[in-house]
Amino acid sequence: MAGNNDVMKGNPPGILLIRSMRGKDWSLKTYKYVVLLITFIAYTSYHASRKPSSIVKSVLHPHPFLNITVSNPWPMGPVFIKNETLVPIDLVHSKKKGWEPFNDEDGTSKLGEIDVAFLACYSIGMYVAGHLGDSLDLRLFLTTGMIGSGIFVGLFGMGYFWKIHAFWFYLLMQMVAGLFQATGWPSVVAVIGNWFGKRKRGLIMGIWNAHTSVGNISGSLMAAGVLEHGWGWSFIVPGAFIFFAGIIVYLLLPAYPEDVGFPCPNRPSSVEDLSATNDEEAQTVKENMVENGHDNVRRPGSGNRRSVGLLDACLIPGVIPFALCLFFSKLVAYTFLYWLPFYLSRTAIGGEYVSVKSAGNLSALFDVGGIVGGILAGHLSDKLDARATTAASFMYAAIPSMLLYRKYGSASKLMNILLMMIAGLFVNGPYALITTAVSADLGTHSSLRGDSRALATVTAIIDGTGSMGAALGPLLTGFLSTKGWDAVFIMLVVGALSAGLLLSRLVVSELSEKFSKRLPYGQHNSGGSASQPLLSDQK
């Protein structure tokens, strides 16, 4: 029975309870659906808890025009809630004077510093979290990060009720929250990579990665929906969401197939290739081995596999170029994430200004386009078998889409919505592809020989480097926006162009391989074999 206990020790308590009530285990397919659902909820809550700061910016540092109209938030009410009268106000003497210490002339700079403090700690913590995620029990590690995030996001909001006006308090809350948030992405990508092989990984992860946009949308709606009751609630509600989602992860998420007795799809063993067969075969073999008490297959599971060091992970072909590309890709994406509601509230659309609440609701449509972009990028990269080419193409297409949004987005409400969603599609598409399918591909690269944990480490290197760009973009926006929004959009265009150019070598490699495969026999290079794509497994 020692083998049986070894297999079951990583089992989540909720699954053990369900198994005892049903009298039998779930099938492999059911477990995969459960993993997809739980990790989707988990990272939706992560992004929802990051959104409040962008929603409350215009409350902490108010617009120099008075917001008159109050209405229900979208989708219950109109997307656009206009300011019916535009009355200049004195920020010192008006009742609507914002929140000290963000209501001074340098308020936008302080808001930018708050953002960069969060993202800098998030980025630094990512490198540590990735290695820990490959060394520790992913389920417990993820649970700790989610509960800690919920507590400190909520504490930021409590500053409103405790009437705290010290800048250091809000800075500290964001920094600690950033460290806890760093546990999320390496962990969820590692869990998905553990359960799913490479077949259609781009499409599966493109659909699954909709949690990023769903989190942004739900976070916007939650924060905007309770804003009228006090800006503190805009943090407390999303904080409670991620806290309770962490409890769900603890109860129901199996981090590894081995934890519940199934073979890992990324380990090239004749016995473990059963994961490629149908559910009934895998289920029957698993039950026979466990019931007989002599499961002789080595099951690393939670906590028994050797993790890969940061340097070794960096040497995996393709890791560094994609990490640098994501630096600029996230610079663009996170500038929209943190500053789009603020931009909308300060820009006349069709000759009218929208309210703070409406700007927060409206910004969610950028992420609707992002959902489509993530799925489309994943599907195309699978179909073309060209991750780098797909990502670079999307980044180049993001340049004209952002310029069109800046120039014509203020023409009318319909034009603003349409161009915003198109920009979201091209900006979030490559960001979603690199942080999911590409990271999982590289984390299960053939050079690892299937016996080391590298999924979380590789994901952390790529996303950690990207998060440095995510910190830089909002910080620069805080300063550039005081000089005019054209300067901000120039920064975004330069970032998108740099992201595409950094993948040039990988794009050339992918296209060369595609071209060489189409040549008639005998017209290949004299060396006899076409150049291998950097992301493919070497057969």
Side-chain angles (χ1 to χ4, degrees), residues 351-366:
E352 299 173 345
Y353 285 87
V354 298
S355 70
V356 174
K357 178 183 287 187
S358 181
N361 294 328
L362 183 61
S363 68
L365 297 174
F366 179 86

Side-chain angles (χ1 to χ4, degrees), residues 404-421:
L404 287 171
Y405 179 66
R406 172 58 183 162
K407 186 172 180 61
Y408 298 107
S410 59
S412 68
K413 299 172 183 179
L414 180 61
M415 187 67 72
N416 188 283
I417 291 174
L418 180 62
L419 293 177
M420 186 194 304
M421 293 177 69

Side-chain angles (χ1 to χ4, degrees), residues 355-390:
S355 70
V356 174
K357 178 183 287 187
S358 181
N361 294 328
L362 183 61
S363 68
L365 297 174
F366 179 86
D367 292 293
V368 173
I371 293 174
V372 178
I375 296 172
L376 183 61
H379 175 66
L380 289 175
S381 70
D382 277 342
K383 195 171 185 63
L384 301 174
D385 191 22
R387 307 280 199 223
T389 304
T390 303

Side-chain angles (χ1 to χ4, degrees), residues 207-240:
I207 297 171
W208 171 77
N209 192 66
H211 54 53
T212 299
S213 297
V214 171
N216 291 340
I217 293 169
S218 60
S220 296
L221 296 179
M222 281 189 282
V226 297
L227 188 59
E228 60 188 302
H229 302 294
W231 65 260
W233 287 109
S234 295
F235 287 87
I236 292 172
V237 173

Side-chain angles (χ1 to χ4, degrees), residues 94-375:
S94 171
K95 293 181 180 179
K96 189 179 180 64
K97 61 179 181 180
W99 188 266
E100 190 181 349
F102 303 105
N103 59 351
D104 297 327
E105 291 183 1
D106 62 344
T108 55
S109 297
K110 286 182 178 177
L111 290 170
E113 290 169 17
I114 287 287
D115 290 341
V116 78
F118 171 88
L119 291 167
C121 289
Y122 176 81
S123 176
I124 295 170
M126 186 77 72
Y127 294 101
V128 179
H131 185 69
L132 290 176
D134 280 331
S135 306
L136 305 175
D137 186 325
L138 279 172
R139 178 173 59 90
L140 299 180
F141 186 60
L142 185 58
T143 299
T144 302
M146 294 175 73
I147 290 176
S149 296
I151 290 172
F152 283 94
V153 169
L155 285 174
F156 189 102
M158 288 303 297
Y160 170 80
F161 299 99
W162 293 337
K163 301 188 184 304
I164 296 175
H165 298 282
F167 178 67
W168 67 264
F169 172 82
Y170 300 104
L171 191 69
L172 180 62
M173 293 303 103
Q174 285 289 75
M175 291 173 68
V176 179
L179 291 174
F180 276 107
Q181 290 259 326
T183 61
W185 192 240
S187 300
V188 294
V189 173
V191 171
I192 293 295
N194 291 332
W195 277 93
F196 292 89
K198 293 189 176 182
R199 185 172 176 267
K200 294 186 177 180
R201 178 179 276 168
L203 177 60
I204 291 172
M205 286 193 154
I207 297 171
W208 171 77
N209 192 66
H211 54 53
T212 299
S213 297
V214 171
N216 291 340
I217 293 169
S218 60
S220 296
L221 296 179
M222 281 189 282
V226 297
L227 188 59
E228 60 188 302
H229 302 294
W231 65 260
W233 287 109
S234 295
F235 287 87
I236 292 172
V237 173
F241 177 32
I242 190 172
F243 184 95
F244 288 109
I247 295 175
I248 293 174
V249 166
Y250 173 75
L251 293 175
L252 295 172
L253 180 66
Y256 290 88
E258 298 95 331
D259 288 345
V260 287
F262 285 103
C264 175
N266 295 314
R267 301 187 69 229
S269 167
S270 59
V271 175
E272 294 186 317
D273 282 342
L274 288 169
S275 59
T277 64
N278 59 52
D279 283 343
E280 287 75 13
E281 280 185 77
Q283 181 77 4
T284 301
V285 172
K286 187 199 95 168
E287 288 174 352
N288 288 339
M289 289 190 297
V290 173
E291 287 175 5
N292 292 330
H294 51 74
D295 180 5
N296 294 321
V297 180
R298 183 168 68 94
R299 299 189 182 282
S302 298
N304 295 322
R305 249 190 291 197
R306 178 177 63 87
S307 62
V308 170
L310 283 174
L311 181 59
D312 292 334
C314 287
L315 295 177
I316 297 173
V319 168
I320 296 301
F322 275 110
L324 295 175
C325 171
L326 192 63
F327 176 93
F328 290 101
S329 178
K330 287 191 77 168
L331 181 151
V332 176
Y334 269 66
T335 298
F336 277 99
L337 173 67
Y338 280 96
W339 285 95
L340 183 57
F342 190 83
Y343 171 75
L344 289 168
S345 69
R346 301 297 178 97
T347 305
I349 301 174
E352 299 173 345
Y353 285 87
V354 298
S355 70
V356 174
K357 178 183 287 187
S358 181
N361 294 328
L362 183 61
S363 68
L365 297 174
F366 179 86
D367 292 293
V368 173
I371 293 174
V372 178
I375 296 172

Side-chain angles (χ1 to χ4, degrees), residues 78-106:
V79 173
F80 285 92
I81 307 169
K82 68 178 183 179
N83 292 319
E84 294 179 350
T85 51
L86 300 178
V87 183
I89 61 172
D90 185 337
L91 293 183
V92 176
H93 298 98
S94 171
K95 293 181 180 179
K96 189 179 180 64
K97 61 179 181 180
W99 188 266
E100 190 181 349
F102 303 105
N103 59 351
D104 297 327
E105 291 183 1
D106 62 344

Side-chain angles (χ1 to χ4, degrees), residues 2-36:
N4 188 20
N5 292 333
D6 217 34
V7 171
M8 299 305 175
K9 69 179 181 179
N11 239 319
I15 289 180
L16 288 175
L17 177 62
I18 293 171
R19 181 183 295 162
S20 65
M21 293 172 64
R22 293 179 74 241
K24 60 179 181 179
D25 201 359
W26 284 331
S27 67
L28 178 62
K29 183 179 292 186
T30 300
Y31 271 114
K32 287 186 173 182
Y33 284 135
V34 169
V35 168
L36 283 173

